[in-house]
């Protein structure tokens, strides 16, 4: 959702909550200090001293189930 730059009003509609609730939740997303991040770098990132965050944007394609009989619970 971050990649799409969706605003609070749209996110509120999408999740069935008010846009003011979405706005209230944004401060709950906090970034660690640079020192905290560097303590947990994977070895392959240790040479990059200016890295503040490593964001994994892996996407896994899935296929929708077209037949209700194929649903597994």
């Amino acid at each position: 959702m971050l990649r799409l730059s969706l605003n609070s009003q749209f996110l509120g509609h999408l999740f069935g909550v008010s846009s003011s609730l979405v706005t209230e939740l944004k401060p709950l997303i906090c970034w660690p200090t640079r020192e905290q991040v560097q303590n947990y770098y994977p070895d392959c990132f240790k040479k990059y001293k200016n890295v503040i965050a490593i964001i994994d944007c892996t996407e896994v394609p899935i296929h929708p189930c077209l037949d209700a009989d194929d649903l597994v619970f």
Side-chain angles (χ1 to χ4, degrees):
M1 302 252 180
L2 292 174
R3 185 172 80 181
L4 300 176
S5 298
L6 302 177
N7 65 28
S8 298
Q9 186 176 7
F10 180 78
L11 290 172
H13 177 74
L14 185 65
F15 292 104
V17 298
S18 67
S19 60
S20 60
L21 177 61
V22 173
T23 303
E24 289 175 28
L25 294 176
K26 284 183 181 179
L28 297 177
I29 301 171
C30 61
W31 290 97
T33 65
R34 183 179 302 273
E35 293 78 24
Q36 289 171 325
V37 171
Q38 288 176 347
N39 286 336
Y40 294 99
Y41 275 168
D43 289 337
C44 60
F45 281 90
K46 300 250 186 221
K47 61 185 174 183
Y48 304 107
K49 299 298 179 190
N50 293 325
V51 173
I52 295 183
I54 302 167
I55 301 173
D56 183 353
C57 295
T58 302
E59 294 186 23
V60 179
I62 59 170
H63 298 282
C65 181
L66 299 177
D67 188 357
D69 293 333
D70 293 337
L71 294 176
V72 177
F73 292 98

